[in-house]
């Protein structure tokens, strides 16, 4: 975890990893708690208490899963940001494709009056997001989050259009 977090700090804007600052310490706490639970499970098993042993093993597994999630968050972020840095347009084009599909759905279902301007505003929003990658260390994490927000918004509009046209 340490080398991956260090790479995030070296290669990317500090804001790209701010929410991951304590992941290493938190994962270590979960690992320690898992070790304690396993020790307790061994004691319970030695004392012929299989129910308590099983409960403690389940607790240990939960802690290990939490530790793994914290570690994966750092390594997956690093991989994601490296991928986006190599080709930032790829992710934006995927969102633009979904947006164009949504616009075509609005046309096909006769919902342009209601949803056309809403979707057109997202085109302008995508242009602003694309223009935000500036400077020596662009904030790729903010870029990804903004694109994801637009994609989620467009998906919500598509769901509403489908429900709306289904009610007619």
């Amino acid at each position: 975890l340490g080398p991956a977090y260090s790479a995030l700090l070296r290669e990317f804007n500090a804001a790209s990893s701010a929410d991951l600052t304590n992941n290493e310490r938190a994962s270590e706490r979960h690992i320690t708690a898992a070790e304690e639970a396993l020790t307790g499970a061994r004691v319970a098993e030695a004392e012929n208490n299989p129910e308590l042993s099983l409960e403690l093993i389940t607790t240990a597994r939960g802690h290990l899963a939490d530790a793994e999630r914290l570690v994966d968050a750092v390594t997956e972020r690093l991989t994601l940001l490296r991928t986006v840095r190599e080709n930032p347009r790829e992710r934006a084009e995927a969102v633009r494709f979904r947006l164009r599909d949504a616009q075509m759905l609005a046309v096909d279902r006769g919902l342009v009056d209601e949803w056309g301007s809403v979707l057109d505003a997202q085109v302008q929003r995508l242009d602003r997001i694309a223009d935000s990658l500036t400077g020596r260390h662009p904030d790729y994490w903010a870029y990804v989050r903004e694109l994801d927000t637009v994609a989620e918004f467009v998906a919500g509009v598509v769901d509403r259009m489908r429900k709306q046209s289904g009610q007619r």
Side-chain angles (χ1 to χ4, degrees), residues 41-82:
R42 287 185 191 100
V43 169
E45 193 271 326
E47 295 174 349
N48 270 344
N49 190 345
E51 293 84 11
L52 178 58
S53 181
L54 181 59
E55 182 180 320
L56 290 168
I57 287 172
T58 301
T59 299
R61 284 182 177 158
H63 282 295
L64 290 174
D66 289 342
E68 182 179 27
R69 186 179 38 75
L70 291 165
V71 170
D72 287 348
V74 174
T75 56
E76 289 171 3
R77 176 86 49 90
L78 180 59
T79 300
L80 171 68
L81 294 179
R82 283 176 173 167

Side-chain angles (χ1 to χ4, degrees), residues 10-168:
R10 276 192 323 274
E11 296 178 31
F12 298 100
N13 186 304
S16 297
S17 59
D19 61 320
L20 305 173
T21 301
N22 295 316
N23 280 31
E24 187 168 15
R25 278 188 296 262
S27 67
E28 288 171 357
R29 284 193 301 270
H30 280 293
I31 291 169
T32 300
E35 289 172 344
E36 291 169 0
L38 283 175
T39 300
R42 287 185 191 100
V43 169
E45 193 271 326
E47 295 174 349
N48 270 344
N49 190 345
E51 293 84 11
L52 178 58
S53 181
L54 181 59
E55 182 180 320
L56 290 168
I57 287 172
T58 301
T59 299
R61 284 182 177 158
H63 282 295
L64 290 174
D66 289 342
E68 182 179 27
R69 186 179 38 75
L70 291 165
V71 170
D72 287 348
V74 174
T75 56
E76 289 171 3
R77 176 86 49 90
L78 180 59
T79 300
L80 171 68
L81 294 179
R82 283 176 173 167
T83 301
V84 171
R85 179 178 60 193
E86 286 176 22
N87 188 359
R89 288 182 180 202
E90 182 178 351
R91 193 172 190 97
E93 286 306 313
V95 177
R96 284 185 193 279
F97 182 80
R98 287 188 214 132
L99 178 56
R100 283 191 296 273
D101 275 355
Q103 290 170 321
M104 288 181 4
L105 180 66
V107 170
D108 290 346
R109 301 222 174 156
L111 300 172
V112 173
D113 289 343
E114 186 170 347
W115 295 106
S117 62
V118 172
L119 294 171
D120 289 345
Q122 299 312 301
V123 172
Q124 295 168 359
R125 188 173 176 192
L126 285 173
D127 291 341
R128 286 191 304 274
I129 293 168
D131 291 342
S132 71
L133 289 181
T134 59
R136 185 168 183 226
H137 290 289
D139 191 348
Y140 290 106
W141 182 235
Y143 177 76
V144 167
R145 287 191 331 246
E146 285 293 319
L147 289 174
D148 289 349
T149 300
V150 172
E152 289 171 19
F153 180 82
V154 169
V157 169
V158 167
D159 285 343
R160 286 182 268 177
M161 285 192 295
R162 286 185 177 144
K163 287 176 186 173
Q164 186 177 356
S165 63
Q167 293 174 353
R168 289 180 179 180

